[in-house]
Amino acid sequence: MLFKKKRPPIPHIKLFSGDQLLYEGALKDLPLKESVIIEKSIFFFDDPEPCYIHRGAVQVRLTEELRREIQDGEDGRPGPLLLSWANYEQITRCCLI
């Protein structure tokens, strides 16, 4: 415990539709579509009615994929995963903080 590793900072995200701010907060708390969570729960765990443990695991995996997509993306343009997974319509711009 004396030499605990520092945890990396939790990435935060801002989503915009034009000039309107849609979401600002931790990437891990970004609302995802229920249909995506169910689809990925079936894919990862063969579980069509995921418990909170499976939901959490799906959220962690999808959050990491979104983080990579946003970091590798171009000038704040939302990638296809963000556009199809996030529970927001008309995302035109995003940025990680």
Side-chain angles (χ1 to χ4, degrees):
M1 292 194 100
L2 186 59
F3 299 104
K4 284 198 319 193
K5 283 187 176 181
K6 287 187 179 180
R7 292 183 181 176
I10 297 172
H12 282 66
I13 187 171
K14 287 185 179 183
L15 301 179
F16 297 91
S17 177
D19 291 333
Q20 180 184 8
L21 179 65
L22 298 174
Y23 176 81
E24 179 177 6
L27 181 59
K28 69 178 185 66
D29 297 331
L30 179 69
L32 300 176
K33 293 178 182 173
E34 182 67 14
S35 60
V36 173
I37 292 173
I38 300 297
E39 174 189 332
K40 295 301 183 178
S41 177
I42 292 169
F43 179 77
F44 294 133
F45 304 111
D46 196 28
D47 185 359
E49 296 178 5
C51 63
Y52 74 95
I53 295 171
H54 284 174
R55 281 182 178 277
V58 167
Q59 185 87 19
V60 167
R61 287 180 183 208
L62 298 184
T63 297
E64 180 58 24
E65 288 185 45
L66 288 173
R67 186 191 62 76
R68 287 181 186 168
E69 178 184 71
I70 294 167
Q71 282 183 335
D72 295 343
E74 304 175 17
D75 287 342
R77 293 186 188 145
L81 296 180
L82 180 61
L83 291 174
S84 63
W85 292 353
N87 205 11
Y88 292 99
E89 300 295 323
Q90 306 298 326
I91 300 170
T92 57
R93 189 168 45 101
C94 64
C95 62
L96 278 180
I97 304 169

